[in-house]
């Protein structure tokens, strides 16, 4: 973990990054971009907390500024998340299927301990733009 990933971002790192390494969805060279994801996501979480703690008589411009800050952090984190297969859509685009046990299988492969026929058809449906 980069030294500048601290606080809530470090907690997110500890939660997310080991899974990405285990599933071979990332590489040590990605550490700074993963750190950026964790920072942006932690900013989103902390800003949403601030919004929830605002008093009812808080200035509208304060609410708007915090809302804009949260939306910006979420948009940045989503963009980074997609690069690392952390969204369903990005995993489909990468040809990765996450099984119910949390393990990754490439499209067309059978995940350990199971038959992925239904899941595979669903992925193919998405890849083919809704056509069987």
């Amino acid at each position: 973990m980069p030294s500048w990933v601290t606080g809530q971002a470090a907690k997110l790192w500890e939660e997310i990054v080991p899974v990405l390494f285990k599933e071979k969805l990332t590489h040590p060279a990605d550490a700074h971009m993963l750190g950026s994801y964790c920072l942006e996501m932690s900013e989103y979480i902390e800003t949403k907390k601030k919004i929830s703690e605002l008093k009812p008589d808080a200035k509208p411009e304060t609410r708007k500024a915090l809302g804009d800050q949260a939306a910006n952090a979420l948009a940045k984190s989503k963009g980074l998340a997609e690069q690392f297969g952390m969204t369903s859509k990005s995993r489909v685009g990468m040809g990765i299927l996450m099984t119910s046990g949390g393990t990754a299988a490439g499209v067309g492969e059978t995940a350990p301990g199971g038959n992925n026929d239904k899941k595979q058809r669903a992925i193919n449906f998405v890849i083919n733009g809704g056509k069987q």
Side-chain angles (χ1 to χ4, degrees):
M1 170 182 350
S3 61
W4 45 266
V5 177
T6 60
Q8 175 72 31
K11 290 177 187 175
L12 286 169
W13 177 284
E14 293 298 330
E15 179 182 329
I16 295 165
V17 174
V19 174
L20 295 174
F21 277 108
K22 179 182 173 216
E23 299 301 332
K24 297 179 175 58
L25 295 174
T26 192
H27 183 274
D30 299 327
H32 289 282
M33 290 304 289
L34 287 167
S36 295
Y37 166 79
C38 293
L39 285 176
E40 291 298 337
M41 197 63 193
S42 69
E43 181 178 341
Y44 170 75
I45 292 167
E46 291 167 5
T47 304
K48 290 297 280 184
K49 184 178 178 189
K50 287 178 188 176
I51 291 169
S52 72
E53 294 170 348
L54 285 175
K55 297 192 187 294
D57 61 345
K59 295 179 181 179
E61 53 269 15
T62 300
R63 286 187 188 281
K64 181 177 180 343
L66 287 172
D68 290 348
Q69 182 179 347
N72 186 39
L74 184 61
K76 288 179 182 178
S77 65
K78 181 181 177 216
L80 290 164
E82 288 174 347
Q83 292 181 29
F84 294 105
M86 290 190 283
T87 67
S88 297
K89 182 179 178 181
S90 64
R91 283 189 297 275
V92 168
M94 297 166 114
I96 299 167
L97 167 66
M98 296 303 285
T99 67
S100 60
T103 56
V107 172
E109 296 177 16
T110 299
N115 180 335
N116 289 329
D117 289 342
K118 287 182 183 177
K119 290 179 182 177
Q120 186 60 54
R121 284 195 302 273
I123 289 173
N124 289 340
F125 184 79
V126 171
I127 291 172
N128 294 324
K131 298 174 186 159
Q132 291 287 346

